[in-house]
Amino acid sequence: MDRAVNTRVGAGAQINGRLTGKVALITGATGGIGLATAELFAREGARLVVADIDGGAVDVLAARLRADGAEIMGAELDVSAADQWARVVESTQRRFGGLDILINIAGVVDWGGIEDAEREQWDRVIAVNQTGTWLGMKTAMPLLRRSGSASIVNTSSVLGIIGSGAAAAYQASKGAVRLLTKTAAVEYATRGVRVNSVHPGVIATPMIREILDEQGDRQPDIVRTPMRRAGLAGEVAYAMLFLASAESSYVTGAELVVDGGLTAH
């Protein structure tokens, strides 16, 4: 597998302004899929709130995107903390006057199975991946409803659909995000907010790069993937863009799988 492939798919592509005039808040924005999504949304004309638990990395990203001409607000955010969500949403309203798009990407993983997982690790994974997604929707929803044509995209995983025999807390959290998304989609279908989930497969992000570097094309999930390669963060970002834009105006409660065919078996 060629590790030198540019993860910023479409970095030189024509800007179409698919998000011009929209305000988008992206969590987990400084690494992997979050970074690719922030860069793509900025190129497509969105006014952005880039949020991450790493405040220093947020400042660096915000400065870089701002230098490229984007209108950016950076925010340090632990998505498992309700008070921090309240602060970021309030700051978003003050800075931009509203919110049209919420992209919940922030997440953590623990590979322990049922017997191996420790309670502290379990609680942290559930707090970030599951509770953090709910808190984001709950806190941002008043602003999103005011938009009249808002979109929420929650990041689940193929491991929110199929079992792996490991990563018990991660799988539990991502399965919960999948159904949380669907129930929110039904609840807000006539209230101006669409809610969908994206389910990445094996993506070459920092979260799993050590495994990919060690095992390469022999990594079991890549062997099982019909396309026989890991995906790029930018390939997931384009799925986020479709669901965030008006092009998906009749799509809600859907699960968009980006996995090279892994779950097609």
Side-chain angles (χ1 to χ4, degrees):
M1 189 186 312
D2 182 5
R3 299 293 177 210
V5 174
N6 184 0
T7 58
R8 293 174 60 194
V9 172
Q14 178 181 357
I15 299 174
N16 297 312
R18 294 161 72 181
L19 299 180
T20 297
K22 299 294 185 181
V23 178
L25 193 166
I26 302 171
T27 72
T30 67
I33 294 169
L35 176 60
T37 301
E39 292 172 338
L40 178 60
F41 279 29
R43 294 199 305 274
E44 291 293 337
R47 295 182 290 168
L48 285 180
V49 180
V50 289
D52 199 285
I53 196 169
D54 186 340
V58 165
D59 291 341
V60 171
L61 174 61
R64 178 165 63 80
L65 295 179
R66 196 175 292 120
D68 289 338
E71 191 174 351
I72 302 290
M73 184 183 86
E76 184 175 339
L77 172 64
D78 177 349
V79 297
S80 68
D83 60 333
Q84 294 190 29
W85 266 112
R87 171 180 51 79
V88 170
V89 170
E90 182 181 356
S91 297
T92 299
Q93 183 176 17
R94 286 201 310 268
R95 173 70 180 272
F96 295 116
L99 183 65
D100 306 290
I101 300 163
L102 172 63
I103 310 292
N104 283 312
I105 297 177
V108 294
V109 65
D110 178 71
W111 298 108
I114 297 298
E115 294 182 74
D116 297 332
E118 299 293 337
R119 178 61 185 267
E120 182 178 357
Q121 296 165 320
W122 173 279
D123 287 347
R124 180 58 180 163
V125 171
I126 298 300
V128 173
N129 297 359
Q130 179 176 335
T131 305
T133 297
W134 166 68
L135 281 172
M137 291 196 294
K138 175 182 176 63
T139 312
M141 195 62 79
L143 279 188
L144 292 166
R145 285 192 286 106
R146 207 173 303 164
S147 165
S149 58
S151 174
I152 297 173
V153 184
N154 294 325
T155 307
S156 181
S157 167
V158 293
L159 297 187
I161 300 174
I162 60 174
S164 71
Y170 184 78
Q171 294 224 219
S173 69
K174 293 303 186 178
V177 167
R178 175 175 176 250
L179 286 182
L180 180 63
T181 297
K182 291 182 183 297
T183 198
V186 173
E187 183 174 354
Y188 292 94
T190 60
R191 302 170 72 182
V193 183
R194 296 182 298 106
V195 192
N196 295 286
S197 58
V198 169
H199 298 252
V202 183
I203 308 297
T205 66
M207 186 179 287
I208 65 165
R209 186 159 291 143
E210 183 177 341
I211 296 173
L212 292 175
D213 288 343
E214 178 182 333
Q215 300 179 358
D217 293 338
R218 301 183 309 280
Q219 203 276 336
D221 286 331
I222 291 180
V223 172
R224 290 194 296 269
T225 298
M227 292 184 72
R228 293 295 190 274
R229 67 171 177 87
L232 304 178
E235 292 174 306
V236 183
Y238 272 101
M240 301 282 187
L241 175 60
F242 168 68
L243 292 174
S245 74
E247 295 163 10
S248 58
S249 57
Y250 196 54
V251 180
T252 197
E255 48 195 58
L256 181 49
V257 178
V258 187
D259 70 350
L262 178 61
T263 56
H265 290 283

